[in-house]
Every structure is written in structure tokens, then in C-alpha cells.
Amino acid sequence: MTPIGRRLPRSALAGDAVTVAPTLLGRVVVSDSPDGRVAVRLTEVEAYRGADDEASHAFRGLTRRNAIMFDEPGHLYTYFVYGMHWCANIVTGPAGHPSAVLLRAGEVVLGHELATARRSERTKPAHLARGPAGLASVLGLASAQNGADLCAPGAAISVRTGTPPPTDLVLTGPRVGVNVGVEQPWRFFEAGASSVSAFRAGVRRRRPTP
């Protein structure tokens, strides 16, 4: 069984998102709820900066949706996409300077039964936390968890030390599904992990012709 380890302090989650992102691989996100505990070891993440990153939600400045990105490091930023899915990010700050790391994929290491119940019965065990929507789903992360302080004493959601992969197994590549900033290799993933997403280039959506 993968060891969960101790809670990471805020300092471990603070810094430039591109620098912090690869250090999150192998860390374990633990989510406690009345239904039970689920823990996911991270195998894939993506870095998003603020004003200098067109793919970032904070590129055009502060809004009600992205306000948590402007908070101090160590907070959870969740958002709704495609009218059906939630995604989760760890804010890396500093306060007032938006940046965050999207949690793209991982492997469930605790709470398999609850994680399975939160996904489709057709989902393979190795793919329970594959993709940002799947990862958020098994951890039970949605609107109520937006802004959660991952570093507060006794926090229901926390990031633990886990077991980081050897540096030679940490790979990088383009972010998945974005149509701007595609030249930036700001997706970091663990080589050989079955939960890692297949690369998918972004498609610029066009409005229908009247």
C-alpha cells in the first residue's frame, strides 16, 4: 500500500506554478467526508500562471469565478466545465498573483469502494482518477470545496508527502485540450502510470454561422 505520509506545509505548495507542479507528482490528496476517506496519489498535473498565461482562467484578471486563484498558496480552486464536470486545482500564489496547478490524474490508494461508487460502473479500477473530472469526482470535490484551505489544522482535504517518483520518471509535455499557450510544456506526468491522460490537442470553438 502506498504510504500517505504527513501533511505538506503551505511552504511546499507556494511558488511559481511551473516549479511547484512537478513536485506534486507522487503526493497524495486525502479527502475526508461523512461518506468516508478517499486518497489519490497524483500522477499528472498541469501548471497555469496568471496574467502571462493565455490558457489560465486568471489571464484577463480577477472575476468571481477565479477569485480563489488570487488567494494565498495552499487553497483549493474548483470550477465547473462543459456543464457537467468539476475540476480541482491547488493555488500556488503568492496572494494577489494568481497561479495554480490543475490536478489531472492519479491512482486511488485508499477508499476504493467509495471512489468506485462515485464513478460509472464501467470505469476500470486503474482509471478511477484518470482525467481532471474523474479525479475530482472520486475525491468528492465540487463547489462546496472551492476555497478550502488544504493546510489548515484538521482540514478535511489535505496534501500528504506520499511517494514522489524518481526524477528520471518525471516527464513533461504540452497541456491537454488547450488552444492557446500550447507551446508551453507545462504538463508533468509520471512515466508508465496507467492513469495518465492521452494527449489531446485543443480545438478552438467557432460560433455557428447565422
Side-chain angles (χ1 to χ4, degrees):
M1 182 178 72
T2 300
I4 292 176
R6 59 177 176 80
R7 292 172 182 258
L8 289 183
R10 200 176 307 279
S11 59
L13 304 176
D16 181 271
V18 178
T19 301
V20 174
T23 71
L24 293 177
L25 294 177
R27 305 302 192 184
V28 176
V29 180
V30 177
S31 178
D32 292 308
S33 73
D35 296 324
R37 167 175 283 191
V38 174
V40 171
R41 179 180 178 273
L42 298 174
T43 58
E44 182 181 18
V45 296
E46 285 179 347
Y48 288 87
R49 285 175 170 163
D52 62 344
D53 182 2
E54 288 186 274
S56 170
H57 287 180
F59 178 64
R60 300 188 186 280
L62 176 67
T63 66
R64 186 163 68 175
R65 182 197 196 199
N66 68 23
I68 297 301
M69 286 188 71
F70 290 77
D71 210 327
E72 65 178 340
H75 283 76
L76 192 70
Y77 167 46
T78 64
Y79 62 86
F80 200 49
V81 292
Y82 305 131
M84 65 178 80
H85 299 306
W86 286 93
C87 297
N89 305 253
I90 295 175
V91 174
T92 65
H97 298 273
S99 61
V101 176
L102 173 66
L103 308 182
R104 278 208 62 88
E107 55 184 12
V108 177
V109 294
L110 273 181
H112 291 81
E113 184 175 345
L114 178 55
T116 300
R118 288 172 170 170
R119 295 299 311 276
S120 164
E121 61 182 15
R122 299 186 300 273
T123 305
K124 296 178 180 179
H127 293 171
L128 285 171
R130 187 184 194 191
L135 186 149
S137 180
V138 299
L139 289 171
L141 306 180
S143 60
Q145 288 70 42
N146 187 41
D149 188 347
L150 306 175
C151 305
I157 309 164
S158 60
V159 183
R160 310 297 184 94
T161 50
T163 308
T167 54
D168 61 332
L169 292 184
V170 175
L171 304 182
T172 185
R175 292 176 291 189
V176 176
V178 300
N179 52 43
V180 290
V182 294
E183 71 282 358
Q184 304 292 359
W186 291 349
R187 177 169 65 106
F188 302 90
F189 55 98
E190 183 176 346
S194 60
S195 54
V196 171
S197 310
F199 177 73
R200 175 174 55 83
V203 177
R204 188 177 296 276
R205 298 178 184 273
R206 296 182 178 179
R207 294 181 178 178
T209 302

